[in-house]
């Protein structure tokens, strides 16, 4: 990376698909989302599209919890951007897929982190930040 500060995303990155699926036991973990990353003012804004495509049954209370968890995961991952990259992004949730048993807020928090990693790879290549090393 160059020494000049950069904003993320450098351009609109649309239709970023992210899946978090782990099958260890019952229940397992499942969340799938499609999100857009749009250049915005400094910071992070999370929005749900008025035309959200939801696949799978989810009641209103769980849907709200999934949106909140997704937003949290996105913000957590963006807080760990590489030095010199600043978040200036509006994230728009376009689609989500849920499983009646295996979807839960923790899976949506995790898929938010995956969505950011996928968008970073599309913007800057497969390794947009240095690996964290433990002492």
């Amino acid at each position: 990376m160059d020494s000049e500060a950069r904003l993320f995303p450098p351009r609109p990155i649309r239709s970023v698909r992210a899946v978090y699926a782990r099958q260890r036991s019952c229940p397992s973990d499942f969340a799938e989302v499609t999100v857009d990353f749009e250049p915005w003012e400094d910071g992070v804004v999370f929005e749900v599209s008025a035309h959200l495509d939801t696949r799978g049954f989810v009641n209103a209370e769980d849907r709200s919890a999934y949106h909140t968890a997704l937003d949290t995961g996105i913000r957590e991952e963006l807080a760990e951007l590489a030095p010199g990259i600043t978040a200036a992004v509006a994230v728009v949730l376009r689609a989500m897929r849920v499983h009646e048993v295996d979807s839960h807020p923790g899976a949506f928090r995790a898929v938010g982190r995956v969505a950011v990693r996928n968008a970073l790879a599309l913007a800057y290549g497969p390794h947009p930040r240095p690996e964290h090393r433990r002492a």
Side-chain angles (χ1 to χ4, degrees):
M1 289 197 324
D2 57 27
S3 60
E4 186 177 310
R6 294 188 279 179
L7 297 178
F8 173 78
R11 65 186 183 290
I13 304 172
R14 297 194 175 106
S15 298
V16 176
R17 182 175 172 262
V19 177
Y20 183 77
R22 291 180 4 154
Q23 186 173 4
R24 293 179 291 176
S25 61
C26 269
S28 297
D29 303 313
F30 180 81
E32 180 179 336
V33 297
T34 301
V35 292
D36 295 344
F37 290 81
E38 301 284 344
W40 198 250
E41 301 169 5
D42 281 354
V44 181
V45 172
F46 177 78
E47 301 175 4
V48 177
S49 171
H51 305 288
L52 178 66
D53 176 18
T54 303
R55 288 177 230 123
F57 174 77
V58 60
N59 63 46
E61 183 179 330
D62 286 344
R63 180 188 325 261
S64 178
Y66 296 168
H67 294 171
T68 299
L70 176 64
D71 182 26
T72 298
I74 289 167
R75 289 174 188 277
E76 288 172 347
E77 194 68 20
L78 287 171
E80 299 174 10
L81 288 175
I85 300 177
T86 301
V89 61
V91 181
V92 181
L93 175 62
R94 298 287 178 193
M96 63 187 280
R97 192 170 122 197
V98 299
H99 184 274
E100 190 173 328
V101 174
D102 297 338
S103 292
H104 54 83
F108 276 87
R109 181 176 169 205
V111 83
R113 294 183 77 105
V114 172
V116 171
R117 291 178 198 146
N118 292 351
L120 286 166
L122 290 169
Y124 303 118
H127 300 289
R129 70 176 114 183
E131 294 295 320
H132 297 287
R133 295 184 184 179
R134 294 183 186 256

